[in-house]
Amino acid sequence: MLHLIQSPANGEENSQDIIHLVPSLTWAGDLQQAARSLDYEVVQPANDTTVPRVSCDVGGKVLLMDNDTVLFEGHIFSRERHTDSSRIAVHCFDWGFYLKQNHGLYKFTGQTPEQIARRLCNDFGIPAGSMAYTGVPIHRNFIGDTLYDILLTSYTMASRQTGKQYYIHFQGRQLYVMERGTEPNMQIGAGTNLIGASLSESVENMVNQVAVYDKNDNLITTIADEEAKQLYGVMQRILRQSGDEGVMEEARALLEENGYSQQITVECLGGTGNRTGGCVTVREPTTGLQGLFYIDGDTHTWKNGQYFNKLTLNFKSIMDEQDAG
């Protein structure tokens, strides 16, 4: 059973479950967003005194729960009401919102991303959950960058050596950095829980050749995907080596991450475990979608007593790469 517990901005002593006043609710996340969002409408007729009054204070705390499991914890960041409507539209973010609203100045000389993550948590009073282990020392100065960019840049640099991908999420107020796994949460198939699927394919953003230069602008080497060049023509990027950073690993990553791309969207019956960072298996004959896919974006909608998911999928495991500092 779903619960939506809302507290006023000045404290939690007057918390109330308002799910019976909410005809529709959307909970969503995306690989390139620091925060998960929660959007809902609260029925509040202006002249109907039989409907309980709900304040929906900006700054108020919100909890979305599935029985005893917390799905979302955050705050109301905006609300909207019109004279011709009997509803208040509410927009919330979880604690990931603050990762992009706080900036820092740091100079790291050999600390690992997991150590950097715990340092940021300690400095900004963020409860730290588990941090994915990399063991890769990071040398980078960050001047005025957001906590999100500092954290993701550190893990991006490590990813080029470990070959693994990482993502950030919050459980309640605790920050976690997780390695993307391969254990599917759900099987989605035609004739069972699949509602619809779409597949688009593109090479518009392809990079199939990378020219690497030294700090004096002398060409060191060129790395290319020869098969892709033959099929689609040359699409080149330039990288300049500075210091002892892994520019060759970065060049290979550019080729790997900017090849032939697929945009996959499926709509299915709801499952709260279908979240960004996880994966599902899909069996759909019309589009030819068969196998394991990674979730890059998820939208969960409860409306009129029904629960659906819309998932953005990827056949590759990727991360939100950043290059701050």
Side-chain angles (χ1 to χ4, degrees):
M1 183 176 178
L2 207 63
H3 302 277
L4 183 63
I5 302 170
Q6 191 173 276
S7 305
N10 59 359
E12 299 181 17
E13 62 276 3
N14 295 319
S15 299
Q16 55 187 139
D17 188 348
I18 63 168
I19 194 66
H20 60 291
L21 299 174
V22 177
S24 64
L25 182 151
T26 300
W27 171 52
D30 188 274
L31 191 65
Q32 297 183 339
Q33 300 295 326
R36 292 187 66 83
S37 63
L38 181 67
D39 293 273
Y40 55 92
E41 292 184 324
V42 182
V43 175
Q44 293 285 269
N47 300 314
D48 189 346
T49 58
T50 64
V51 177
R53 298 292 94 185
V54 179
S55 61
C56 301
D57 297 340
V58 173
K61 182 181 175 182
V62 175
L63 273 176
L64 176 66
M65 302 181 68
D66 182 15
N67 293 318
D68 294 329
T69 302
V70 176
L71 301 179
F72 176 95
E73 179 179 330
H75 288 90
I76 298 173
F77 281 88
S78 65
R79 65 178 180 178
E80 185 176 354
R81 186 168 188 176
H82 297 280
T83 56
D84 59 352
S85 174
S86 62
R87 299 180 180 184
I88 301 174
V90 180
H91 184 56
C92 313
F93 289 113
D94 73 2
W95 295 90
F97 178 86
Y98 296 99
L99 294 181
K100 285 195 172 181
Q101 296 301 310
N102 287 282
H103 299 244
L105 191 154
Y106 291 92
K107 296 183 179 182
F108 296 113
T109 55
Q111 293 90 338
T112 64
E114 50 272 31
Q115 291 172 329
I116 291 171
R118 293 193 180 278
R119 169 74 182 279
L120 297 179
C121 286
N122 182 68
D123 289 352
F124 284 83
I126 303 169
S130 61
M131 304 297 173
Y133 174 80
T134 68
V136 177
I138 301 299
H139 300 269
R140 181 65 67 101
N141 296 336
F142 298 96
I143 302 175
D145 296 296
T146 68
L147 303 188
Y148 181 82
D149 287 345
I150 294 171
L151 189 52
L152 263 295
T153 296
S154 302
Y155 270 96
T156 297
M157 295 171 70
S159 174
R160 290 168 185 157
Q161 296 191 41
T162 66
K164 300 175 181 179
Q165 290 73 44
Y166 308 93
Y167 69 100
I168 292 173
H169 77 107
F170 276 80
Q171 292 182 11
R173 299 189 181 195
Q174 281 192 305
L175 171 65
Y176 288 77
V177 181
M178 309 291 288
E179 179 186 335
R180 297 198 74 167
T182 57
E183 280 297 318
N185 173 69
M186 178 185 281
Q187 292 186 357
I188 301 173
T192 55
N193 56 354
L194 179 70
I195 298 171
S198 65
L199 168 66
S200 63
E201 301 162 284
S202 175
V203 294
E204 293 179 20
N205 298 313
M206 173 174 282
V207 176
N208 55 30
Q209 182 167 290
V210 180
V212 182
Y213 289 82
D214 65 19
K215 61 183 179 181
N216 297 314
D217 295 334
N218 299 309
L219 181 65
I220 300 173
T221 188
T222 300
I223 302 174
D225 181 337
E226 296 296 340
E227 183 179 356
K229 284 171 58 179
Q230 289 292 325
L231 285 170
Y232 310 115
V234 178
M235 304 181 194
Q236 178 176 284
R237 293 272 187 92
I238 300 294
L239 287 180
R240 180 177 284 107
Q241 189 174 39
S242 59
D244 57 356
E245 293 184 4
V247 68
M248 301 306 292
E249 290 83 0
E250 186 178 353
R252 295 188 185 94
L254 271 174
L255 294 179
E256 174 72 21
E257 295 157 11
N258 295 277
Y260 168 87
S261 67
Q262 292 181 321
Q263 179 72 40
I264 304 162
T265 303
V266 301
E267 295 182 60
C268 61
L269 299 181
T272 58
N274 292 335
R275 306 183 203 179
T276 297
C279 53
V280 293
T281 55
V282 181
R283 299 281 185 271
E284 203 295 299
T286 303
T287 57
L289 297 176
Q290 304 282 337
L292 181 73
F293 295 88
Y294 298 89
I295 304 174
D296 288 349
D298 64 279
T299 301
H300 300 247
T301 301
W302 289 264
K303 188 173 184 179
N304 298 326
Q306 296 180 308
Y307 173 32
F308 304 103
N309 289 167
K310 183 176 182 180
L311 307 176
T312 301
L313 304 180
N314 198 325
F315 68 97
K316 293 191 298 184
S317 175
I318 63 172
M319 64 179 291
D320 181 18
E321 294 196 345
Q322 298 295 324
D323 188 27

